[in-house]
Amino acid sequence: MGSPDFAATASSQHRQDRSVDRLKYRIALGLFAALVAALAAVPLLAANASFAFYLMVWIAMATGMNICVGFTGYLPFGYVVFYGVGAYATGICFKLLGLPIVVALLAAGLAGAVVALLMTPTLRLKGVYFGIVSLGLATIVRLLISNLPESFTGGSMGLILAGANNPTHSYYAMLAVMTLALACVLWLSTSRLGRQLRAIKDDDGAAACIGINVPRVRLKAWLLAAIIPALVGGVEAWYTNVVDPEYSFHVLITAKSIIYGMAGGFGTIIGPVIGAIALVGIDHVIWERFPLINLLLLGMVIILLMLFLPRGVVGSLIKRRPQLRRYIA
Amino acid sequence: MNSLLIQGLLNGLILGAIYGLIGLGLNIVYGVLRVVNFAHGEFLVIGAYFAWVLLQYLGINPLLALPISFVVFFGVGYLLYFLLVPRMSKSDDPETSSLLLMFGVSIALSATLLLVFEADSRTLEFAIEPVFLSFGQIILPTIRLVALLISVLLVAALAYFLYRTQVGKALRAIIMNKDAVSIVGINAERLSGVAFGLGIALAAATGVIVALVFPAFSPFMGNDYTLIGFVVIVLGGLGHPIGALIGALLYGVTEQVAAVYFNPSIATILGFSLMIAMIFIRPSGLLGQRQLR
Amino acid sequence: MLTVRNLRKSFGGLQALAGVDITLPDESILGVIGMNGSGKTTMLNCINGIYIPDSGDIALDGASLLGLPVHEVAGRGVGRTFQVPRVFQHLSLLDNLDVAQTGSAAGNDDRYALSEYWLKKVELLRLRHNYAEELSGGQQKLLELARIMVARPKVILLDEPFAGVNPQLAQMLIGIISEIASRHHCAVILVSHDLTSIYQLSHHIIVMNEGAILTQGDAATVKSDPAVIEAYLGA
């Protein structure tokens, strides 16, 4: 082309800039690594790892939701469909097809990806419409599964995965899924794909004008966001040995994923993790003491959050002190 | 024609009218406030319980409870508006924020109902003589015909309000252009409160009708009704009340006719599939504006 | 070279473009002036793929751009700025430019060097870590320009780049635009109401009115054309 030479001699300024940027990702990486290590140690130290198990479930779900909301800009009210489909894929593969549990779990991830691909046409829809359609789809899938013959899906009674019980292995499987989720989101925030997603979220028309293939980029993120809850559903089915349409497609699963993520703030990657940890902890304490008003408190938390801290705890902190942006990914 | 089929069609019309009321309520709130009332179904269920309480403890006839609930919940909605919504309009993404806020409200409401009334379903013990009316081969519960009549009257009253009264016309003006209304000197905030109150009142009144028509209701039914309201809006087009009515009739008839031949779950599946098909064939709904990204 | 042949576009009953022909040689600057509603922005939107014309053809270096999705038109080397700058508010300036090099096979360092070059050119380098939303309107216009240039376009479409810009900034812009055409081998279509800048920069000017070209020529020709004076008042 003959235009002025831009051949890179990686300028020292560039290296400086990169290390400024990298600081916050290093901090996030450190936090995540510490979290994974702590959770890995739990079964070795405590008799009952159930609380830690569900903590991992919600960290993964909130992180997956972060990919949908924070990165891609969709509010999937039917998010639970991936979770349920993953649980059922695992249940069917293990119970009805007799496949080993590892294969069944991989099938869960695959099932999530397939459903996400089938939903591709819905990605064109605007905010509220997308939310409604996704909720409708989740309901349809739930009803379909309840009504299919028992030999296919266990009907409305569900499936019992007798013989799969292995709390330790399933615990570490969930640890792997959570680690995968955290790794995904860390990767997304530093990668080109992540930047493209954020650009699309800001102004999708302008993003197209600068050459970004908006539908394709959205689809990639959507697939990632779908596989995580699918795997979570599969592992949870292994852990509890039960799969049933009412529970595996319960709207509260979507609700909690959104709330826990929102409590921390969807604009960052550590926000949803912190939100999940805080709220699962609070939920646990309250459930022990006041089981009856648990649901009411959840609703109140959402209301108060949206009224006073709409960007979540971490998000609001950054808004108040923008200089913290250097440290919080 | 098969008399069962005709019954299905008639039931579809009756239910369609009820669904239409739900859609109308949602539309008014959305049209004026750009708030998607996720808690609409819960207010409906609260209306049903309200009528039950009035009957059970005060001996008040549900037909009377209907206008009472309308007035009471209008007030509730009006107050709730000022408590919740103005903050939302200041956030980064008001539509998403209000969606999530109302979602929280819906959870809080159904949890409260659960606490107060427990999970067992209730029935409104109210009978009209004669219980059934027959037209040849076709048998319809009288109460459903009464419900249809009430629904039609409500819609008519609403139409009169929106097209013939000052306040109603102002509401329609806001739906068309929110900023222009403030310039002209109407108090947009108060008007928005009225709109919200109206939407909630409609929801509660519809709840009374639902309690009359259906054998039982329980705290968690709200979700299903909210979803139906959404389906109706999608079919008819967001922001178009008349479209909502047409969409509701379409959905009601599809659901009830399907219920004649298949089990209720399949009927619901068909209804929702209709909604999804509509989104792709005609995304703006039968009458609405384009809603694509 | 960009060629536009007999471009037509209507919206309902309104004819926005009634047959427009343009030839834009490499490295030239085409000024486009005309009243509001004369079809200038519609024409730009057709060229960059936002609208699909009812009829006519648009070709870049012989290959037709008709019917291509917006991102592909951009990939072929067409950049576009908007009357109200559409930068990515929640991305840093550096990220805004990096994300625009989406089709580039260049490595991190090369992309950074290019971003640095253009940020320096629009005098925004020291703000490179700030988020775009922190910039003023004029600065955002400059950012938008830098953003389309890092993609090494062949043609850029500038929609009212001088609107709302102070005289000092305008001078800088004039210098940059002129350099873009001559040194960066990029053709420019410049839509503006700022006649001074148009006369100064353009090799060729077209005057649009009601969706068609009223007259065209160099600055002297256009200034003295009675039809233009009448239609455009004091051109």
Side-chain angles (χ1 to χ4, degrees):
Chain A
M1 245 193 191
S3 43
D5 188 20
F6 303 116
T9 43
S11 58
S12 64
Q13 181 174 267
H14 186 194
R15 261 183 256 116
Q16 223 178 39
D17 280 355
R18 282 207 339 228
S19 67
V20 161
D21 241 4
R22 285 218 172 118
L23 179 60
K24 55 180 172 181
Y25 300 120
R26 290 219 175 98
I27 293 179
L29 178 62
L31 284 172
F32 288 170
L35 184 64
V36 171
L39 286 167
V42 168
L44 308 169
L45 302 170
N48 187 352
S50 155
F51 172 73
F53 181 83
Y54 282 101
L55 185 61
M56 295 192 291
V57 165
W58 291 112
I59 290 176
M61 293 297 282
T63 299
M65 183 60 79
N66 194 14
I67 299 180
C68 284
V69 180
F71 282 88
T72 322
Y74 288 96
L75 251 188
F77 281 123
Y79 192 58
V80 70
V81 76
F82 300 119
Y83 177 94
V85 158
Y88 264 90
T90 300
I92 293 175
C93 283
F94 184 80
K95 176 77 189 287
L96 299 173
L97 298 178
L99 296 170
I101 195 71
V102 174
V103 175
L105 290 175
L106 287 175
L110 190 63
V114 166
V115 171
L117 279 174
L118 287 173
M119 285 182 74
T120 310
T122 67
L123 294 179
R124 282 189 275 137
L125 298 172
K126 203 172 83 161
V128 136
Y129 274 72
F130 176 82
I132 296 171
V133 167
S134 112
L135 184 57
L137 277 172
T139 311
I140 290 179
V141 171
R142 171 170 60 89
L143 289 173
L144 270 175
I145 287 184
S146 306
N147 282 286
L148 284 175
E150 297 230 352
S151 51
F152 275 18
T153 59
S156 56
M157 298 304 292
L159 299 166
I160 308 228
L161 281 67
N165 196 10
N166 192 331
T168 314
H169 286 184
S170 50
Y171 180 94
Y172 284 106
M174 185 57 83
L175 184 66
V177 171
M178 183 193 81
T179 311
L180 176 68
L182 294 176
C184 273
V185 99
L186 195 58
W187 171 73
L188 263 183
S189 58
T190 53
S191 71
R192 216 183 210 182
L193 182 65
R195 273 192 293 270
Q196 290 175 342
L197 281 170
R198 272 180 284 152
I200 292 174
K201 197 168 165 232
D202 268 351
D203 188 335
D204 56 0
C209 286
I210 60 167
I212 296 178
N213 186 340
V214 174
R216 193 190 292 167
V217 169
R218 280 191 171 136
L219 183 60
K220 284 186 193 165
W222 181 243
L223 279 171
L224 261 181
I227 293 178
I228 293 173
L231 288 172
V232 171
V235 174
E236 211 260 354
W238 182 16
Y239 187 79
T240 57
N241 296 331
V242 174
V243 170
D244 92 57
E246 205 52 53
Y247 176 68
S248 300
F249 288 97
H250 205 291
V251 71
L252 268 183
I253 294 178
T254 306
K256 286 185 175 179
S257 306
I258 295 179
I259 304 321
Y260 294 169
M262 210 174 72
F266 281 122
T268 63
I269 59 174
I270 60 176
V273 174
I274 293 179
I277 294 175
L279 286 184
V280 170
I282 293 177
D283 189 66
H284 184 78
V285 166
I286 293 183
W287 193 77
E288 307 247 282
R289 304 265 180 87
F290 315 105
L292 287 175
I293 60 173
N294 186 284
L295 203 55
L296 177 58
L297 282 173
L298 181 66
M300 294 303 304
V301 165
I302 301 174
I303 296 172
L304 291 172
L305 268 177
M306 287 322 296
L307 284 179
F308 300 112
L309 278 181
R311 290 161 188 245
V313 170
V314 176
S316 304
L317 196 63
I318 292 184
K319 179 108 200 270
R320 289 269 196 86
R321 292 175 195 232
Q323 58 269 34
L324 287 177
R325 240 190 233 144
R326 299 185 69 196
Y327 306 105
I328 299 181
Chain B
M1 243 206 293
N2 187 335
S3 68
L4 267 179
L5 183 58
I6 299 184
Q7 232 165 267
L9 277 169
L10 286 171
N11 272 317
L13 280 175
I14 295 171
L15 282 179
I18 295 180
Y19 296 159
L21 283 174
I22 302 179
L24 268 177
L26 273 174
N27 247 311
I28 290 177
V29 173
Y30 181 80
V32 175
L33 303 172
R34 292 289 179 270
V35 168
V36 181
N37 187 2
F38 223 93
H40 204 84
E42 270 69 28
F43 284 108
L44 188 151
V45 175
I46 289 181
Y49 274 101
F50 185 76
W52 185 85
V53 165
L54 284 182
L55 182 63
Q56 195 79 353
Y57 297 107
L58 296 175
I60 297 180
N61 185 318
L63 292 175
L64 194 54
L66 209 141
I68 298 179
S69 70
F70 195 92
V71 172
V72 167
F73 284 98
F74 178 84
V76 169
Y78 190 78
L79 289 172
L80 215 56
Y81 171 80
F82 287 104
L83 201 58
L84 297 176
V85 183
R87 288 197 81 104
M88 290 294 98
S89 38
K90 294 193 208 118
S91 84
D92 289 339
D93 187 353
E95 218 175 283
T96 311
S97 307
S98 50
L99 225 133
L100 289 171
L101 175 70
M102 297 316 292
F103 186 57
V105 170
S106 86
I107 294 182
L109 285 177
S110 52
T112 311
L113 281 176
L114 188 62
L115 278 173
V116 175
F117 294 105
E118 273 145 43
D120 309 319
S121 52
R122 306 291 163 126
T123 312
L124 198 61
E125 312 278 358
F126 182 74
I128 288 189
E129 297 297 324
V131 179
F132 288 100
L133 289 177
S134 44
F135 306 91
Q137 291 252 322
I138 299 168
I139 304 177
L140 285 174
T142 322
I143 197 74
R144 289 199 170 190
L145 287 170
V146 171
L148 179 62
L149 187 61
I150 298 177
S151 307
V152 169
L153 284 173
L154 251 180
V155 171
L158 201 64
Y160 180 82
F161 171 72
L162 287 176
Y163 285 86
R164 291 294 162 105
T165 67
Q166 282 286 58
V167 185
K169 288 187 198 175
L171 270 179
R172 282 172 49 231
I174 289 197
I175 293 180
M176 281 182 245
N177 190 334
K178 190 158 196 171
D179 297 316
V181 167
S182 317
I183 296 174
V184 170
I186 305 176
N187 186 334
E189 282 300 302
R190 285 255 199 94
L191 212 46
S192 301
V194 167
F196 198 72
L198 191 57
I200 303 296
L202 260 177
T206 313
V208 176
I209 299 178
V210 161
L212 285 171
V213 167
F214 292 107
F217 49 91
S218 62
F220 285 111
M221 277 166 53
N223 256 328
D224 299 328
Y225 282 108
T226 307
L227 195 50
I228 290 177
F230 285 160
V231 170
V232 161
I233 287 190
V234 164
L235 284 176
L238 204 58
H240 268 256
I242 302 179
L245 284 173
I246 301 178
L249 285 172
L250 195 56
Y251 180 79
V253 168
T254 308
E255 197 201 38
Q256 288 303 304
V257 168
V260 170
Y261 297 107
F262 310 106
N263 78 39
S265 300
I266 308 278
T268 311
I269 292 177
L270 276 174
F272 284 5
S273 306
L274 179 66
M275 165 184 82
I276 294 175
M278 176 65 80
I279 291 227
F280 290 111
I281 298 172
R282 211 196 140 81
S284 41
L286 292 166
L287 295 179
Q289 270 85 49
R290 303 204 87 223
Q291 299 289 348
L292 293 178
R293 285 179 180 257
Chain C
M1 175 155 93
L2 180 76
T3 49
V4 174
R5 290 277 161 266
N6 202 16
L7 203 61
R8 286 176 196 277
K9 177 74 183 166
S10 310
F11 297 103
L14 179 69
Q15 176 120 55
L17 288 178
V20 172
D21 293 274
I22 293 179
T23 306
L24 184 69
D26 294 339
E27 300 172 26
S28 67
I29 300 179
L30 178 71
V32 179
I33 61 180
M35 300 292 288
N36 289 328
S38 55
K40 314 190 294 293
T41 300
T42 307
M43 180 180 71
L44 292 189
N45 284 344
C46 284
I47 295 176
N48 112 290
I50 293 176
Y51 293 156
I52 299 178
D54 297 331
S55 67
D57 190 40
I58 305 168
L60 180 62
D61 291 344
S64 174
L65 295 177
L66 270 192
L68 290 180
V70 174
H71 70 267
E72 263 192 64
V73 174
R76 296 277 185 98
V78 178
R80 162 97 152 96
T81 65
F82 294 88
Q83 283 180 303
V84 178
R86 290 169 71 171
V87 292
F88 302 121
Q89 306 289 348
H90 297 105
L91 259 57
S92 69
L93 268 58
L94 269 179
D95 281 340
N96 261 276
L97 295 192
D98 186 82
V99 103
Q101 298 179 62
T102 216
S104 166
N108 260 324
D109 288 338
D110 291 336
R111 294 203 312 271
Y112 179 87
L114 193 51
S115 301
E116 189 185 13
Y117 175 89
W118 281 105
L119 280 177
K120 215 183 263 176
K121 223 185 232 325
V122 296
E123 295 180 16
L124 288 175
L125 187 62
R126 63 182 173 84
L127 295 174
R128 64 192 182 282
H129 289 300
N130 291 49
Y131 279 29
E133 63 185 345
E134 297 166 37
L135 296 183
S136 70
Q139 289 173 317
Q140 289 196 356
K141 274 196 177 271
L142 291 172
L143 177 66
E144 221 194 2
L145 185 61
R147 193 179 63 182
I148 59 175
M149 290 316 296
V150 292
R152 299 184 191 253
K154 296 181 183 167
V155 176
I156 60 175
L157 315 172
L158 304 179
D159 202 345
E160 308 271 4
F162 301 104
V165 158
N166 68 53
Q168 193 191 18
L169 221 58
Q171 266 314 110
M172 187 168 97
L173 260 178
I174 291 178
I176 296 174
I177 295 174
S178 172
E179 195 188 302
I180 283 174
S182 56
R183 283 188 74 203
H184 296 275
H185 308 288
C186 185
V188 179
I189 298 184
L190 177 60
V191 168
S192 183
H193 285 300
D194 184 338
L195 298 175
T196 322
S197 312
I198 290 266
Y199 293 147
Q200 197 178 335
L201 281 171
S202 316
H203 300 119
H204 192 79
I205 301 175
I206 62 173
V207 183
M208 288 188 69
N209 191 33
E210 291 178 5
I213 295 180
L214 188 62
T215 191
Q216 55 183 299
D218 62 10
T221 318
V222 164
K223 266 192 229 189
S224 53
D225 186 319
V228 171
I229 296 172
E230 192 203 319
Y232 203 29
L233 278 160

